Amino acid sequence: MTAPLPDLVTTEWLAANLDGVAVLDATWFLPTEKRDAAAEYVASHIAGAVRFEIDAIADRTTPLPHMLPDAASFAAAVAALGVSNNSRVVVYDRNAMAPAARVWWTFRAFGHDAVAVLDGGFAQWTLERRPVEIGVPKPVPGQFTAEKRSELVADLAWVESVMLERNAQIVDARTAGRFHATEPEPRPGLRGGHIPGSINLPFRSLLTERGTLLPVADLRDRFAEARIDTAQPVIALCGSGVTASLIAFALHHIGVPDTAVYDGSWAEWGALAYAPVDI
């Protein structure tokens, strides 16, 4: 049995437990942000951390960005990173905790629950002058088997059904400007606006000014203010399934464990001429 692991760990906790966990750097940026996540990792990362490439550990048969791979491909990829089924995994990033949440959700979607997100990510770690290293380590391969938990992964048909039947809440993590089509989508060719009946909760509203997750009571307030009923099912979406994962993570952190993420998100919906859009 894998030892219990909280879903959110502090830098202090991680510093004290570095030898007992697999640390993954999941940093990812939109092309419009013009930052090279891989180069930043090589230049400096948490000591012992291995890089998880969101765009590489993905389904290569679809034009949609970083869709989940099949279970066997995921298992092979994370085993190559040194992760085994008995590993306790801690994920961090340097981009507002959303990419780390995406990888947290991905592990859970493939049946591995012993995974946590580092609160405040790399910024908090370096602010406290904790140990970092340069270069690319060579992890010892692990042994990992995976089984997809389909209840955590929403597809187009499921979201279309929810839109019509209103038997779950669709929560959109994009900015209000993108939700209401007053600012452009970062990916070319996508319409602005939102899925009819969906609720906007920008993912950054779940974070403090210093980039850590809000306290539990404040998270509950954020969901209540957005008129999201945490007793009812939620499907989270965003531009491509990354920041939506922070919605799923925040709900898990306050005791709502199994939020689904629409993997295709707006990259899929916004490109479909027939899919209805409200602004």
Side-chain angles (χ1 to χ4, degrees):
M1 286 287 288
T2 302
L5 184 69
D7 57 8
L8 185 72
V9 298
T10 64
T11 50
E12 181 180 18
W13 185 96
L14 181 57
N17 290 273
L18 270 179
D19 291 337
V21 296
V23 184
L24 301 179
D25 183 318
T27 303
W28 171 89
F29 299 107
L30 279 166
T32 53
E33 294 178 274
K34 297 181 179 180
R35 290 177 63 178
D36 187 332
E40 291 188 23
Y41 166 78
V42 173
S44 182
H45 53 265
I46 292 177
V50 179
R51 177 145 173 76
F52 185 109
E53 293 272 5
I54 288 175
D55 286 327
I57 302 177
D59 182 354
R60 302 300 188 88
T61 68
T62 173
L64 292 171
H66 43 254
M67 295 285 284
L68 290 182
D70 60 72
S73 297
F74 175 79
V78 299
L81 299 181
V83 179
S84 297
N85 288 103
N86 63 354
S87 296
R88 299 196 300 166
V89 179
V90 176
V91 193
Y92 75 90
D93 63 59
R94 54 196 91 204
N95 194 12
M97 291 178 61
R102 168 73 185 197
V103 174
W104 167 88
W105 169 75
T106 300
F107 269 96
R108 295 193 71 245
F110 286 112
H112 191 82
D113 289 335
V115 56
V117 171
L118 178 63
D119 199 14
F122 192 66
Q124 187 68 26
W125 185 266
T126 54
L127 180 67
E128 298 168 359
R129 300 183 182 275
R130 297 192 185 275
V132 296
E133 62 186 15
I134 63 173
V136 180
K138 294 182 178 180
V140 176
Q143 293 185 332
F144 197 95
T145 58
E147 185 173 347
K148 188 175 179 180
R149 297 172 63 192
S150 58
E151 71 274 14
L152 296 183
V153 186
D155 61 10
L156 177 64
W158 186 0
V159 175
E160 288 177 322
S161 174
V162 167
M163 180 191 67
L164 295 173
E165 298 180 15
R166 303 295 171 93
N167 54 3
Q169 301 158 103
I170 302 174
V171 179
D172 192 324
R174 293 176 300 154
T175 63
R178 291 169 65 186
F179 187 82
H180 293 294
T182 59
E183 63 182 63
E185 286 294 312
R187 292 181 176 84
L190 299 183
R191 297 169 296 165
H194 58 269
I195 296 173
S198 60
I199 301 166
N200 188 213
L201 182 61
F203 80 99
R204 288 186 185 275
S205 68
L206 304 176
L207 303 174
T208 67
E209 290 185 0
R210 69 179 189 276
T212 55
L213 194 69
L214 287 172
V216 168
D218 292 339
L219 288 173
R220 291 196 175 112
D221 287 344
R222 287 287 189 274
F223 287 109
E225 289 162 3
R227 298 185 178 181
I228 297 165
D229 183 353
T230 56
Q232 301 301 318
V234 169
I235 295 175
L237 80 140
C238 58
S240 62
V242 175
T243 62
S245 300
L246 192 62
I247 299 285
F249 180 79
L251 284 167
H252 186 278
H253 191 62
I254 66 172
V256 183
D258 291 328
T259 298
V261 170
Y262 175 21
D263 200 16
S265 277
W266 200 254
E268 180 173 45
W269 192 279
L272 297 173
Y274 72 83
V277 170
D278 281 350
I279 57 174

